[in-house]
Amino acid sequence: MQLVLGRDDLAAAALSAAREAGAEPERVAIEPVHKASRGFVNESNVDVCELAIVTVLQAVAHDKPVLLLPVTTLGRHQHQTLVTLGGDLSVADVEGHSVGVRAWSQTTGVWMRGFLTEQYGVDLRKVDWTTYEGHHVDGAEDPAWVKRAPQGSKLPADFLRGGVDFAIMGNELPSDDRIRTAIHDARRVAEHWSKDQGFIPVNHVVGMSATAAAEHSAAILAAYDAMHAVLTAGEHDGPVALHPVGFNALRGAFTKAAAYALEQNVIPRAVDYDELIERTCAALDVPPARLGG
């Protein structure tokens, strides 16, 4: 039983619990962790894998044998990820300007584009979009109104040289004193959004293959319990949980992300959250309550 988890504390807890449940787990180290997604989704080359929330939605929409284990491995605010280089540009100027994003299906980009349409009235088709990578899920394509950067181009370098007016970047944000957020007081705006919505814009969760769920159900459930304990112990008091665990806790984030993804042509069909719950529970042969639902 092979696992790819980016956080050392979650990996250690999951491995120990799975071992006690009778499995022979092995952690596969892949950095950055999103590089593991393609092989897991399209080839089931590992059993349990940390995935971006949008990758889960795309995989289900494209009928890949991917199931959700409702554990948040990375939760964070996203409004600060729209950045520009000095000057007078702000979020009010996005229409009519160029915006770069690593991949159209990148979860950070899906959240940010959702904010742009919902909070700032941006028509996404009036933006000059550029992507730099393809999708993790075979069969997924960029919308016709999105262009791909020349092969070998990288968003950080393109952004710093002025090749795009804005960029949506999370962990890959380069260090440069000229960079500033396009949304004024983005952290406060993000916190207000999450408080109003009742959830954090989740980035990464845990996926498992259908085969693994059938063959290692006891070990996977034990790993879920162990990760749940780690994340619960690490939570601080606040208006919303930074790392929600369980089906009920993740419903808001998944439902909103699925709506954004459909509007943005990231997924080819609507994905209802209850479909994810039913698929997981059927594979593990447990009721939703066993996984916080």
Side-chain angles (χ1 to χ4, degrees):
M1 178 177 164
Q2 293 187 314
L3 300 85
V4 177
L5 293 167
R7 283 181 51 167
D8 292 341
D9 56 347
L10 294 181
L15 289 168
S16 178
R19 194 173 293 114
E20 290 180 10
E24 297 181 3
E26 172 193 1
R27 184 186 186 187
V28 179
I30 298 178
E31 294 184 4
V33 72
H34 72 79
K35 295 291 186 183
S37 300
R38 174 171 289 280
F40 169 71
V41 169
N42 301 299
E43 303 167 14
S44 298
N45 62 357
V46 295
D47 299 296
V48 176
C49 186
E50 181 172 332
L51 291 175
I53 190 172
V54 173
T55 302
V56 175
L57 293 168
Q58 273 197 325
V60 171
H62 285 272
D63 299 318
K64 303 297 184 182
V66 171
L67 306 172
L68 169 66
L69 192 64
V71 174
T72 299
T73 58
L74 176 60
R76 69 178 180 207
H77 294 300
Q78 306 279 4
H79 286 75
Q80 75 283 358
T81 62
L82 180 67
V83 295
T84 188
L85 285 178
D88 298 322
L89 292 179
S90 74
V91 66
D93 303 301
V94 169
E95 282 191 14
H97 285 84
S98 57
V99 183
V101 62
R102 179 172 56 80
W104 191 247
S105 56
Q106 183 183 12
T107 293
T108 297
V110 171
W111 282 119
M112 191 64 241
R113 291 192 301 268
F115 304 151
L116 288 175
T117 57
E118 199 168 73
Q119 293 181 273
Y120 300 97
V122 173
D123 182 344
L124 298 181
R125 292 176 181 260
K126 294 181 180 179
V127 179
D128 181 13
W129 294 100
T130 299
T131 60
Y132 294 77
E133 296 179 13
H135 302 252
H136 294 314
V137 179
D138 287 348
E141 298 180 354
D142 289 355
W145 39 277
V146 173
K147 69 180 180 183
R148 181 65 57 82
Q151 188 171 3
S153 300
K154 299 293 183 183
L155 174 56
D158 206 13
F159 172 60
L160 290 177
R161 71 169 180 81
V164 290
D165 300 312
F166 297 89
I168 299 175
M169 288 191 279
N171 294 335
E172 68 271 34
L173 184 67
S175 177
D176 191 300
D177 291 340
R178 297 173 297 164
I179 296 174
R180 61 182 181 80
T181 58
I183 295 174
H184 175 68
D185 205 359
R187 295 285 182 178
R188 182 191 61 79
V189 174
E191 290 171 0
H192 185 72
W193 184 91
S194 287
K195 185 177 180 180
D196 281 352
Q197 297 288 331
F199 56 83
I200 200 83
V202 169
N203 200 303
H204 288 187
V205 291
V206 178
M208 58 185 167
S209 70
T211 299
E215 295 180 354
H216 304 291
S217 58
I220 288 173
L221 290 170
Y224 166 84
D225 292 340
M227 289 187 285
H228 185 296
V230 169
L231 293 170
T232 301
E235 279 292 339
H236 302 291
D237 291 337
V240 294
L242 188 60
H243 294 92
V245 180
F247 286 131
N248 286 342
L250 275 164
R251 179 177 290 276
F254 259 97
T255 301
K256 179 66 81 172
Y260 285 167
L262 185 63
E263 292 168 357
Q264 299 167 22
N265 293 355
V266 174
I267 53 177
R269 68 169 178 86
V271 176
D272 187 87
Y273 187 59
D274 287 317
E275 177 184 351
L276 304 185
I277 295 175
E278 291 166 6
R279 285 161 52 97
T280 293
C281 291
L284 291 173
D285 192 25
V286 295
R290 175 63 182 83
L291 294 170

